[in-house]
């Protein structure tokens, strides 16, 4: 999702944190294409051509904007859902759209399964399942993936807040779901305060 969003709305997106995702347009023809794309040898160049085609018809922003984004890529070494060639193709896609090497951080040496990585809660590092949130040690400390993503995009961060400024707000997302969606009937929104919005760049500085 982060890949698709950051490409489609590249004019207003400054960076993307991508955990085990395929190149742009991987699922453009449905599951018959999406699953092999995640497991096989997709082409970064083909993804670039798909983005150019959509941009030419005005359905997404011009691809030239992507070059200024900061890109964080992560694939766990024990990920059985997304193959290494898929992430390599994604990196090739960003190279093709002229994202500088210094703006791409590719993390691929953590023995994680298919999951987001948290320093607060989660399952065993190498597992792929459950809530898809794992805890992994890197250099004898728990790896803080959200912080790693934000630091790559924004640079040094302020110290973590000791208390939350808000609580997740549940809402009924069934009216927004297609018939065959596998998403839950309840979604959650987390509304941050004005100071946080300023810190994150506001409407003209979004990240995915």
């Amino acid at each position: 999702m982060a890949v698709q969003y950051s490409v489609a709305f590249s004019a207003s997106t400054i960076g993307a944190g991508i955990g085990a995702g395929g190149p742009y347009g991987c699922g453009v023809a449905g599951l018959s294409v999406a699953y092999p794309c995640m497991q096989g040898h997709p082409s970064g160049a083909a993804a670039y051509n798909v983005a150019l085609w959509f941009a030419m018809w005005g359905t997404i922003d011009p691809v030239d904007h992507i070059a200024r984004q900061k890109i964080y890529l992560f694939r766990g070494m024990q990920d059985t859902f997304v193959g290494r060639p898929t992430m390599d193709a994604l990196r090739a896609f960003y190279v093709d759209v002229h994202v500088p090497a210094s703006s791409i951080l590719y993390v691929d040496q953590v023995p994680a399964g298919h999951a987001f990585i948290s320093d607060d809660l989660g399952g065993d590092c190498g597992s792929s399942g459950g809530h898809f949130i794992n805890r992994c040690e890197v250099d004898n400390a728990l790896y803080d993936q959200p912080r790693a993503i934000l630091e790559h995009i924004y640079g040094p961060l302020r110290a973590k807040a000791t208390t939350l400024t808000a609580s997740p707000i549940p809402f009924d997302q069934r009216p927004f779901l297609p018939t065959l969606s596998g998403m839950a009937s309840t979604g959650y929104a987390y509304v941050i305060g004005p100071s946080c919005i300023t810190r994150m760049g506001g409407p003209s500085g979004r990240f995915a």
Side-chain angles (χ1 to χ4, degrees):
M1 180 177 176
V3 175
Q4 313 309 311
Y5 184 95
S6 65
V7 173
F9 300 99
S10 60
S12 58
T13 302
I14 64 172
I18 301 152
Y24 180 74
C26 244
V28 70
L31 289 177
S32 61
V33 171
Y35 183 77
C37 179
M38 292 298 185
Q39 290 290 330
H41 298 265
S43 167
Y48 178 47
N49 288 332
V50 170
L52 281 175
W53 189 86
F54 280 119
M56 179 182 68
W57 287 100
T59 56
I60 66 172
D61 290 341
V63 298
D64 294 348
H65 295 296
I66 306 172
R68 63 180 177 78
Q69 295 180 2
K70 295 289 187 70
I71 303 298
Y72 169 98
L73 305 173
F74 180 91
R75 178 188 177 270
M77 297 172 67
Q78 299 185 50
D79 190 334
T80 57
F81 286 79
V82 176
R84 174 60 188 260
T86 299
M87 290 300 293
D88 289 347
L90 179 56
R91 184 184 186 281
F93 165 78
Y94 282 111
V95 171
D96 286 342
V97 296
H98 308 298
V99 176
S102 60
S103 295
I104 301 175
L105 177 59
Y106 189 178
V107 180
D108 61 349
Q109 296 299 310
V110 179
H114 187 69
F116 295 104
I117 311 303
S118 168
D119 69 338
D120 183 45
L121 52 85
D124 293 335
C125 184
S127 64
S128 295
H131 295 292
F132 294 98
I133 300 175
N134 293 354
R135 285 158 52 100
C136 297
E137 285 196 3
V138 174
D139 297 329
N140 298 316
L142 289 173
Y143 185 60
D144 187 346
Q145 189 175 59
R147 186 178 187 88
I149 293 171
L150 292 174
E151 284 185 333
H152 180 62
I153 296 174
Y154 291 105
L157 303 178
R158 299 173 183 171
K160 282 186 176 181
T162 56
T163 57
L164 297 177
T165 58
S167 298
I169 303 170
F171 66 93
D172 182 4
Q173 65 179 2
R174 287 174 295 182
F176 310 104
L177 301 179
T179 303
L180 299 178
S181 171
M183 298 180 69
S185 59
T186 301
Y188 294 87
Y190 187 79
V191 182
I192 56 178
S195 61
C196 296
I197 294 175
T198 301
R199 176 62 179 150
M200 291 169 59
S204 62
R206 294 178 289 183
F207 70 94

